Amino acid sequence: QVQLVESGGGLAQAGGSLRLSCAASGRSFRSYAMGWFRQAPGKEREFVASIDWSGRSTYYTASVKGRFIMSRDNDKKTVSLRMDSLKPEDTAVYYCAASSRSYNVLVGQGEYDYWGQGTQVTVSS
């Protein structure tokens, strides 16, 4: 069983930065692929970024590529999402997710077994 707790959300101005963190419990964290997803008001939850078990491979949705960076620290059992050049359209609840099914990056929500409670990110124009 894995528990995920996100932190670091808040309010930022357009062009600003925020850093989200996700703390995980569980023995097998270092073997899990990890992902970030987001859900904006009135929209379905969507993929943002994923990182493989080693941290050497990442994958981003096109709208955040070049602005967001995902990383992980297996010793500390944490993943982070550095968000720069924020835009109002980045406003959403951001969720951390873990998958026990693969070591590699994963895009599909159905591939993830564990989810955090979410953290709100609001970007003002």
Side-chain angles (χ1 to χ4, degrees), residues 1-7 21-30 32-37 45 70 72 76-80 94-100 112-119:
Q1 190 74 8
V2 175
Q3 290 186 326
L4 304 171
V5 179
E6 302 98 334
S7 61
S21 295
C22 174
S25 65
R27 299 179 182 178
S28 303
F29 173 80
R30 63 178 62 246
Y32 291 169
M34 299 294 295
W36 284 99
F37 291 78
R45 189 162 58 186
M70 186 175 184
R72 68 188 294 162
K76 295 182 179 179
K77 297 183 180 180
T78 59
V79 292
S80 297
Y94 282 71
Y95 297 90
C96 174
S99 176
S100 63
Y112 289 86
D113 307 294
Y114 306 102
W115 294 83
Q117 82 288 349
T119 185

Side-chain angles (χ1 to χ4, degrees), residues 8-20 38 48 63-69 81-94 119-125:
L11 178 64
Q13 291 188 333
S17 299
L18 284 173
R19 183 184 180 92
L20 305 182
R38 66 186 180 186
V48 176
S63 62
V64 308
K65 196 171 184 180
R67 300 189 297 121
F68 291 10
I69 297 176
L81 186 67
R82 171 74 182 188
M83 305 185 295
D84 295 322
S85 302
L86 284 164
K87 303 176 181 180
E89 50 264 43
D90 294 319
T91 294
V93 177
Y94 282 71
T119 185
Q120 176 70 47
V121 170
T122 303
V123 183
S124 62
S125 58

